[in-house]
Amino acid sequence: MKRIGLMVLMMLLVLTVSVYAGGEQESSEGPVFEVSSNVTEEGQVELLGKLFQRFVDEYNAENGSNYSLKFVSGQGMDIINTRMSSNNKPDIFSIDSPADSNEFAGSGLLLDLTEYAEQYSWDETIFDWAYSLAKVDGDVMALPFGYEGMVIWYNKEIMKELGLDAQSIDTLPEFEAAMKKASEADYIPVMLGSQDWPWAQEWYLSILYSYTGRDRVKKTIEGVEGYAWTDEAFAETVALYESWHDKGYLADGRSYVLTSDDAINLFTNDRALFKLEGTWAPYWMMPLEEADQNKIGVMLHPAINDIEEPHMPLAVGNMWCASSDTEHPELAAYLLDRLLDQDIQSEFLDVGYDLAPMQINESEFEGLIPVVEDMWNVVNGALADGSFGYTTWAFYPPETRVYLYEGIVNVLEDKITIDEYLSEMQRLNQKELEQGFNPVIPAAN
Amino acid sequence: MMSVCRRLNHIFVYSFLCLVALLQLSPLLATLFNSFRSTKDITKFPIGLPTQYNLENYIEAWRVGEYTRAFANSIIVSSVSTISVVLMAIIAGFFLARSNFKIKDYIITYFGVALSIPVFAFLVPVYFSFSELGLVDHLIGLVLLFIAINMPFNILLSRTYILGIPRELDESATMDGCSVYQIIWNIIFPISKPIITTIALIVFVTTWNEFTVANTFLQSPELKTASTKYVLFVGERGSDLSLVYTAGIVTMLPIVAVFIALQNYFIEGMTTGSIK
Amino acid sequence: MARQVLSNRTRRQRLIAYASVLPIFLYHFILIVLPTLNTLTASFTNWNGIGKKQFTGISNYIELVGDPNFITAFGNNIKWMIVFLTLPIMLGILLGYILSGVKRGRLFFRAVYFLPYVISAAIAGKIFAAFYNPYFGINVALKAFQLDFIALDWLAPKNALFSVAFVDMWHWWGFLLVIFISALQQIDPLLYESARVEGASELQKIWYITLPSIRQTIVFIVLITMVWSVSTFEYVWVMTRGGPGSEILSTMLYKNAYFKYRAGYASSIAVVQMLVSFLIFAGFGALRKRMED
């Protein structure tokens, strides 16, 4: 009896505490405005929380309102999907790509921001190519944020040791010669790990397909007559990728066995010449020791044919959207617009977060660690003439895209032929077009 | 002669037990050692003894992961779930083992079938209903769901156990004029210590380590549980191997401590001879 | 007079039984089964997970049957099931038997064997993934000790499923052990006494007393092993994300629901998982009926 009594007492106690703990956040006075972001890194979480709080405070001061902010982080696409199908939607939130925001807009879940975009003159601030990704049927449905591009990183010391010069590796023969040299010297030519992050495969394929021909990719996705994924040009590209895998140039034939962390570790431990990753890579470079940081160089991937020059396939890393259910659209639009402030861009750089896709003052790029500064030089240089390429996650239809990076492993494993792989991609692309997928692919220069 | 045979048998058995124990523990020992080594050392050689024992990594992992609050949340969620499930399991298990009412077999079958419902079959719809009821982003909502998820298995487990308790016990109590609940509190509960320990351990551990549901139903950072924190933490700093191992130990240690404590508390329940 | 009192008592007891069990049943039914019906309806639509549902009949199921991914995933679940029906159960019974016969250190060993169960899938998965690393993992150590032949390519597609299953096994069999110990301790020691007096050997004791006494527990364990093999998720997701060679039904479901905007299709996978589990369960029920006759 005593024991039962004890248990009941404990249960009551714990229940009260849990109710108290659960209900803590109800003690705010004004309406609650919820911002949901997908960042998980400590520095980024802290910065975003701080910035949004400041923006909300300034809004309250200007308008005499008393909103209180609820900022949550670590909300990936799976969580957002679940929440958007319920009644517990955040007011503004960030999602992964334009394809996602298109899907959400198609289901009527996003707030039409067109009038606010006009009010804040976004069309003058944001890069054209990025801005077009945010529109659905001419209406602005999201704020494109965080542009990232595909580049290739290299180990300066190994490069020197092999007697190579990064600046002069521009063409396919030069690139393959470099990989061969690295391989013979017992280094892994190109490091890539997709075991726990299958999306890593599409990093490389974004480059390769874009380099196959930007105009070709655009027309293929749009379903223009006479263009298909099964075309010879794409088959050649996939064959090229497969040949690198077979020769062991690509992570020693283990690109889908190694995790992304393995790939990073191997690269920073001087086992590989090149590392394939995008312009977000600084997030793992910044915690490194200075000596290790200075070993890293960056460049645009060499060309693979005579059709395209080295360029940077681009993506928008985040789409900040407002829920169509939000009761505070003005605040939502205000907060989104504040993300375009010039003076916070350097703070984003400091924590390795994305930058707003707009012209950013030079002064914001000062005081960066050398490798990051190098990278932004490469990026700004590549974008100087407005030229860019297409990444899969920003521009391709969702199912085709998922098959792209899942199916390629089967090709590398010789489970399916290149033809079968490309045929399936074509089939899915067609299917999605028929089901209403609307490609938004600005023409590259 | 016989005692030598006995002794050899003893040695053989104990050696085997120790070998298995070593195999079970080696991954954890390796993790413990690696948590003290630097990432550079680990990448050079994956297993080894640490050269220095400093606690910096630990403090860093604790701070970055914001573990204090997370642990408090986990303790609340797991404790309430455990106590509730134990109570329900013993009560339901008793009636399903002993009583004879019409729909008994259907209910037993129901709980068996309930085991085959995967989490994803109800995760999203429950989220929807809970969001209407305001139970999302509250520890209570999570607890209510955890209790439901853990019920079928533990009720059936308890029933199987209670079937093994001889009927004479409660029948003699009934003769003495005890009501049903008196029988449950005074006879079944004490005798069922082994299964209560088992159920308590299972539910506590399962709810503590659960990630998928907890991550979906809790948004606010101050409510997140320990397992959620670990996954997010490692997701970002995954390339810093020594931090990964350290965070692993930090997340593991409390649950291991609770496990050992719980074990000792119910120590009397482990002896055989339930017939008294 | 006595008979009436008894039947009143029985009726009251029956009422108490209903009053106690029904609320518990309803709690579970409302919280779990009703929402599941929602998923069932969703499987007949082309729901994308966030918008409106459009009825599409059984097209999802037809697609599922012809989907090579599904066939592969299903096959992997079967392989998983076979693995888990053998090693962990045998280890659990064997060591449960040894431990219940041992006096000193029983608690210690029980704790040690159970310990891996206490570690979450995320942590165990991450740790073992590090061990399985071809460059920084145990292969380096194995090669150093001239044990090359054990140094497999652990997470390569052809080995991935088994490598992940190994981790789950390491975590799982301690759990079975605890359940078996609980069951073994219920066996009346008098049975063993009389057997010993009659001069029975150790093996005879096991075969004629131990195993039959815990038969119900074994059946229970086999049943849940089979059922839970169909819906297993966490270990595979954490270690390989259902990558090549290790795609299972749950990872396929997860990807379809959350990354491909095909929640309707994912729901049909969930329904298939439930159907298979029901069949397993029904099979056991039929077997039990046969054995009781």
Side-chain angles (χ1 to χ4, degrees):
Chain A
M1 252 351 258
K2 195 171 62 171
R3 189 161 286 139
I4 308 301
L6 218 82
M7 280 205 313
V8 174
L9 202 74
M10 255 200 327
M11 197 161 124
L12 284 173
L13 206 83
V14 178
L15 227 98
T16 345
V17 175
S18 87
V19 168
Y20 168 71
E24 242 185 57
Q25 65 259 39
E26 239 84 328
S27 55
S28 49
E29 294 135 12
V32 177
F33 188 89
E34 186 178 345
V35 175
S36 160
S37 127
N38 57 7
V39 294
T40 53
E41 211 267 308
E42 170 205 10
Q44 295 174 4
V45 172
E46 211 184 301
L47 177 68
L48 283 183
K50 194 183 70 168
L51 285 176
F52 276 112
Q53 185 60 58
R54 192 175 87 196
F55 298 153
V56 171
D57 290 340
E58 285 172 15
Y59 184 86
N60 281 341
E62 275 173 44
N63 293 284
S65 52
N66 61 346
Y67 286 108
S68 62
L69 171 73
K70 178 172 169 180
F71 177 73
V72 293
S73 59
Q75 311 241 297
M77 282 317 295
D78 41 2
I79 306 282
I80 292 289
N81 274 349
T82 311
R83 295 191 64 183
M84 294 310 280
S85 67
S86 77
N87 272 340
N88 183 27
K89 305 185 179 120
D91 290 290
I92 65 174
F93 53 97
S94 76
I95 51 182
D96 285 355
S97 73
D100 292 309
S101 56
N102 280 347
E103 191 80 42
F104 277 55
S107 298
L109 294 169
L110 299 184
L111 180 71
D112 190 334
L113 298 166
T114 315
E115 55 172 293
Y116 303 106
E118 276 174 27
Q119 181 187 337
Y120 291 112
S121 305
W122 284 354
D123 59 338
E124 286 167 26
T125 332
I126 303 178
F127 287 141
D128 282 336
W129 64 268
Y131 197 50
S132 61
L133 290 173
K135 291 199 215 161
V136 177
D137 287 336
D139 295 323
V140 180
M141 303 304 288
L143 176 76
F145 198 81
Y147 64 105
E148 45 196 26
M150 283 312 304
V151 291
I152 190 164
W153 305 83
Y154 61 89
N155 186 314
K156 287 185 184 164
E157 282 176 10
I158 300 181
M159 192 66 90
K160 212 171 4 163
E161 187 186 312
L162 296 173
L164 297 164
D165 173 25
Q167 309 306 331
S168 62
I169 305 182
D170 277 329
T171 64
L172 183 61
E174 286 164 354
F175 185 54
E176 290 198 313
M179 293 203 285
K180 183 150 185 267
K181 243 188 171 169
S183 176
E184 281 162 3
D186 243 359
Y187 290 113
I188 299 170
V190 180
M191 184 45 65
L192 180 70
S194 71
Q195 169 71 273
D196 59 334
W197 191 259
W199 301 271
Q201 293 292 338
E202 68 177 337
W203 297 345
Y204 219 148
L205 290 173
S206 290
I207 296 180
L208 294 178
Y209 288 148
S210 192
Y211 277 44
T212 306
R214 285 176 280 186
D215 191 53
R216 173 179 290 282
V217 168
K218 173 174 152 76
K219 292 203 163 80
T220 310
I221 294 178
E222 289 171 349
V224 170
E225 191 76 29
Y227 288 89
W229 285 108
T230 44
D231 288 344
E232 186 65 36
F234 289 123
E236 272 175 22
T237 304
V238 180
L240 183 67
Y241 191 58
E242 196 180 2
S243 74
W244 290 345
H245 165 85
D246 290 336
K247 289 187 206 157
Y249 289 167
L250 205 58
D252 208 12
R254 291 197 157 99
S255 64
Y256 43 88
V257 174
L258 294 176
T259 64
S260 50
D261 293 328
D262 290 338
I264 294 172
N265 271 322
L266 283 163
F267 179 67
T268 53
N269 277 294
D270 304 326
R271 301 284 286 270
L273 174 60
F274 288 108
K275 162 93 175 70
L276 193 92
E277 196 155 352
T279 53
W280 58 82
Y283 85 84
W284 51 261
M285 292 181 194
M286 301 205 305
L288 294 174
E289 285 168 22
E290 209 180 314
D292 291 325
Q293 281 176 1
N294 293 335
K295 270 192 292 195
I296 305 176
V298 62
M299 58 188 241
L300 291 179
H301 193 281
I304 60 170
N305 54 31
D306 297 324
I307 303 176
E308 293 282 5
E309 295 255 308
H311 60 265
M312 194 168 65
L314 283 180
V316 170
N318 271 311
M319 302 294 282
W320 276 99
C321 319
S323 159
S324 56
D325 272 0
T326 182
E327 293 172 351
H328 320 286
E330 260 92 42
L331 178 57
Y334 174 80
L335 290 177
L336 292 180
D337 181 63
R338 289 302 303 269
L339 287 172
L340 299 174
D341 283 359
Q342 284 286 338
D343 56 351
I344 57 176
Q345 303 303 319
S346 61
E347 291 185 68
F348 287 145
L349 276 177
D350 284 337
V351 293
Y353 189 55
D354 302 314
L355 291 181
M358 60 187 194
Q359 232 11 68
I360 299 180
N361 298 338
E362 289 262 330
S363 55
E364 300 292 316
F365 288 101
E366 279 159 24
L368 297 169
I369 59 180
V371 58
V372 178
E373 200 179 317
D374 280 344
M375 185 189 81
W376 285 114
N377 285 337
V378 169
V379 171
N380 290 332
L383 292 179
D385 54 351
S387 158
F388 62 91
Y390 305 119
T391 56
T392 54
W393 59 97
F395 297 99
Y396 291 40
E399 267 186 80
T400 315
R401 171 206 162 200
V402 171
Y403 182 74
L404 187 152
Y405 62 75
E406 285 189 339
I408 192 68
V409 179
N410 287 330
V411 173
L412 296 178
E413 281 265 292
D414 290 325
K415 291 227 178 83
I416 58 176
T417 66
I418 297 181
D419 259 337
E420 287 169 342
Y421 167 69
L422 290 173
S423 304
E424 180 65 10
M425 267 180 66
Q426 178 62 22
R427 185 188 76 85
L428 287 170
N429 200 144
Q430 280 304 108
K431 182 180 85 131
E432 292 191 87
L433 285 173
E434 278 160 28
Q435 286 176 342
F437 173 75
N438 195 15
V440 180
I441 310 180
N445 292 6
Chain B
M1 258 300 262
M2 236 182 36
S3 83
V4 169
C5 234
R6 262 273 182 88
R7 199 159 294 169
L8 271 173
N9 206 12
H10 244 129
I11 296 177
F12 180 67
V13 167
Y14 273 99
S15 320
F16 178 65
L17 289 177
C18 286
L19 181 67
V20 176
L22 202 67
L23 288 173
Q24 276 294 85
L25 286 184
S26 42
L28 298 177
L29 287 173
T31 309
L32 186 62
F33 290 146
N34 278 349
S35 69
F36 287 112
R37 299 164 74 211
S38 69
T39 306
K40 264 209 149 37
D41 283 341
I42 299 177
T43 49
K44 271 203 213 106
F45 206 74
I47 318 170
L49 291 172
T51 49
Q52 14 142 258
Y53 291 84
N54 61 353
L55 292 174
E56 264 173 26
N57 261 352
Y58 278 88
I59 302 176
E60 171 81 4
W62 186 277
R63 190 189 58 80
V64 172
E66 286 167 355
Y67 274 109
T68 327
R69 189 68 206 244
F71 279 140
N73 293 331
S74 287
I75 290 177
I76 292 175
V77 169
S78 296
S79 310
V80 179
S81 308
T82 304
I83 296 173
S84 314
V85 174
V86 165
L87 284 174
M88 285 194 197
I90 297 293
I91 294 175
F94 173 79
F95 285 109
L96 290 176
R98 290 284 197 255
S99 308
N100 232 326
F101 51 100
K102 245 182 285 178
I103 53 172
K104 179 179 84 158
D105 281 330
Y106 289 114
I107 300 225
I108 296 175
T109 314
Y110 168 80
F111 280 124
V113 166
L115 287 173
S116 49
I117 303 180
V119 169
F120 295 120
F122 55 82
L123 188 65
V124 173
V126 173
Y127 187 91
F128 185 82
S129 332
F130 271 26
S131 68
E132 305 261 336
L133 296 170
L135 284 173
V136 169
D137 213 18
H138 274 275
L139 293 181
I140 281 276
L142 190 63
V143 168
L144 290 176
L145 191 54
F146 273 163
I147 294 174
I149 294 177
N150 282 288
M151 274 166 66
F153 178 76
N154 291 295
I155 289 179
L156 290 179
L157 196 65
S158 148
R159 171 181 172 266
T160 310
Y161 183 86
I162 294 181
L163 280 174
I165 300 179
R167 272 181 185 267
E168 298 90 57
L169 281 166
D170 22 323
E171 267 162 28
S172 58
T174 321
M175 287 301 127
D176 287 347
C178 288
S179 77
V180 175
Y181 271 88
Q182 276 177 315
I183 297 180
I184 298 184
W185 295 151
N186 294 321
I187 300 184
I188 302 294
F189 255 101
I191 286 183
S192 306
K193 284 220 189 72
I195 204 66
I196 291 183
T197 325
T198 308
I199 295 179
L201 277 173
I202 292 172
V203 179
F204 197 88
V205 166
T206 312
T207 53
W208 184 278
N209 289 331
E210 212 286 335
F211 172 73
T212 317
V213 176
N215 195 40
T216 310
F217 279 77
L218 297 175
Q219 269 86 54
S220 306
E222 30 332 329
L223 290 182
K224 291 214 187 273
T225 58
S227 56
T228 322
K229 284 282 181 190
Y230 176 78
V231 172
L232 294 178
F233 176 76
V234 160
E236 206 43 56
R237 305 274 217 115
S239 47
D240 191 344
L241 287 177
S242 94
L243 216 54
V244 167
Y245 288 117
T246 311
I249 297 283
V250 169
T251 316
M252 267 193 251
L253 228 42
I255 185 80
V256 170
V258 167
F259 160 62
I260 294 175
L262 217 66
Q263 247 215 137
N264 283 333
Y265 179 64
F266 286 111
I267 218 169
E268 321 97 84
M270 292 315 297
T271 52
T272 47
S274 47
I275 311 191
K276 222 352 170 159
Chain C
M1 215 17 205
R3 196 173 267 181
Q4 211 180 15
V5 169
L6 222 73
S7 98
N8 263 345
R9 165 160 247 142
T10 337
R11 210 179 310 142
R12 206 177 44 150
Q13 278 189 343
R14 222 169 267 181
L15 252 134
I16 296 182
Y18 271 111
S20 310
V21 174
L22 233 65
I24 294 179
F25 159 76
L26 280 171
Y27 180 82
H28 182 271
F29 185 79
I30 295 176
L31 218 53
I32 306 283
V33 174
L34 286 185
T36 308
L37 292 176
N38 203 311
T39 304
L40 184 65
T41 24
S43 71
F44 294 114
T45 70
N46 66 353
W47 192 36
N48 67 353
I50 48 178
K52 289 212 185 353
K53 298 188 177 104
Q54 242 187 333
F55 188 69
T56 56
I58 58 170
S59 62
N60 281 334
Y61 292 98
I62 297 179
E63 188 185 337
L64 207 59
V65 172
D67 189 347
N69 268 341
F70 175 72
I71 315 266
T72 317
F74 196 86
N76 282 339
N77 278 92
I78 303 282
K79 288 186 198 156
W80 187 275
M81 194 189 292
I82 295 177
V83 165
F84 274 84
L85 281 176
T86 49
L87 213 56
I89 297 185
M90 295 195 301
L91 269 176
I93 297 182
L94 175 66
L95 274 126
Y97 181 75
I98 296 179
L99 274 189
S100 51
V102 151
K103 282 195 203 69
R104 246 185 299 161
R106 179 194 303 152
L107 274 175
F108 169 75
F109 282 112
R110 190 187 90 137
V112 166
Y113 298 149
F114 190 74
L115 200 56
Y117 182 76
V118 163
I119 315 297
S120 76
I123 299 179
K126 195 76 191 175
I127 292 173
F128 271 89
F131 288 164
Y132 284 148
N133 188 317
Y135 298 104
F136 305 131
I138 54 169
N139 282 358
V140 177
L142 287 173
K143 290 204 181 103
F145 293 129
Q146 313 286 25
L147 290 169
D148 280 37
F149 61 95
I150 310 182
L152 301 172
D153 219 347
W154 303 107
L155 291 176
K158 69 173 163 46
N159 294 323
L161 191 68
F162 182 73
S163 301
V164 176
F166 182 80
V167 183
D168 201 348
M169 265 198 289
W170 170 80
H171 152 276
W172 171 252
W173 79 264
F175 170 78
L176 294 184
L177 173 78
V178 164
I179 296 184
F180 279 126
I181 290 185
S182 225
L184 285 166
Q185 285 179 330
Q186 283 196 298
I187 303 179
D188 189 347
L190 288 174
L191 287 170
Y192 284 121
E193 258 311 297
S194 45
R196 191 183 68 84
V197 161
E198 285 178 34
S201 76
E202 200 69 28
L203 264 134
Q204 280 177 315
K205 275 195 254 175
I206 297 179
W207 189 257
Y208 288 110
I209 300 179
T210 315
L211 290 179
S213 306
I214 57 169
R215 200 192 63 191
Q216 243 169 345
T217 310
I218 297 182
V219 168
F220 178 56
I221 296 286
V222 169
L223 182 61
I224 46 160
T225 300
M226 292 182 80
V227 167
W228 280 352
S229 300
V230 175
S231 55
T232 186
F233 176 70
E234 294 222 318
Y235 278 88
V236 178
W237 183 255
V238 167
M239 294 183 75
T240 66
R241 295 267 192 277
S246 58
E247 178 96 270
I248 52 173
L249 293 172
S250 300
T251 55
M252 188 182 162
L253 188 160
Y254 199 81
K255 288 186 212 175
N256 269 293
Y258 296 115
F259 299 115
K260 289 200 203 177
Y261 292 102
R262 299 201 67 195
Y265 195 55
S267 302
S268 64
I269 299 179
V271 171
V272 168
Q273 285 180 310
M274 284 191 273
L275 265 164
V276 173
S277 309
F278 289 171
L279 284 172
I280 295 175
F281 200 76
F284 267 80
L287 230 93
R288 190 157 53 114
K289 278 261 150 67
R290 285 262 305 282
M291 292 187 70
E292 277 173 15
D293 287 337

